[in-house]
Amino acid sequence: MDLPTKKFTVTRADLVRYAGASGDFNPIHWSERFATKVGLPGVIAHGMLTMALVGRAVTDWAGAPDAVLDYSVRFSRPVPVPDDETGTEIEVSAEVKSVTDEGHTVLAITAVCAGEKVLSQARATVRTTRLGK
């Protein structure tokens, strides 16, 4: 079973707000010059912001934050964020991989930005009773 795709827009303004909330003012998240100097394609989203947005999709699918029993990801590609009003879009999808002996649902999650997978080995285990409602 596939779950409905969720889409999240990330703009440079979002990066500023996240930096203020998290205290992560690394210049790769705000300075084009610095980001390209260190080999990145440009300013990139904070990895933990990307993980949080994907986590939001998981809690939406699960029906409530407390229905998420386990959640993990590996970062595989950066999420470049252009300097415009449009920003970029992260598209999150999931597939039910299995149901545990306890009746919990294991999800395999995919997060894509500009046609590229940005997370690998992304998984969540959720209480099945509320899944997709």
Side-chain angles (χ1 to χ4, degrees):
M1 172 174 115
D2 291 336
L3 297 174
T5 298
K6 305 279 184 180
K7 295 181 181 182
F8 300 95
T9 299
V10 180
T11 65
R12 293 275 179 103
D14 294 323
L15 300 184
V16 170
R17 284 189 286 275
Y18 188 82
S22 69
D24 181 352
F25 294 99
N26 187 322
I28 63 173
H29 303 304
W30 56 268
S31 171
E32 195 82 29
R33 183 174 38 85
F34 186 85
T36 56
K37 187 171 138 182
V38 299
L40 293 168
V43 168
I44 63 169
H46 302 75
M48 295 305 290
L49 173 58
T50 302
M51 187 177 180
L53 292 172
V54 174
R56 183 184 303 167
V58 173
T59 60
D60 286 352
W61 292 320
D66 66 347
V68 179
L69 304 173
D70 186 54
Y71 172 53
S72 63
V73 306
R74 288 206 176 160
F75 303 107
S76 54
R77 287 190 168 285
V79 173
V81 181
D83 189 11
D84 60 21
E85 287 74 36
T86 307
T88 195
E89 187 173 75
I90 300 171
E91 189 172 297
V92 185
S93 59
E95 170 186 359
V96 173
K97 290 309 269 184
S98 63
V99 177
T100 68
D101 291 341
E102 297 83 17
H104 302 137
T105 302
V106 178
L107 303 176
I109 304 163
T110 302
V112 175
C113 179
E116 301 282 344
K117 285 178 69 173
V118 296
L119 299 178
S120 64
Q121 299 179 21
R123 296 224 182 271
T125 303
V126 299
R127 287 189 183 93
T128 304
T129 56
R130 301 185 71 172
L131 188 62
K133 294 185 179 180

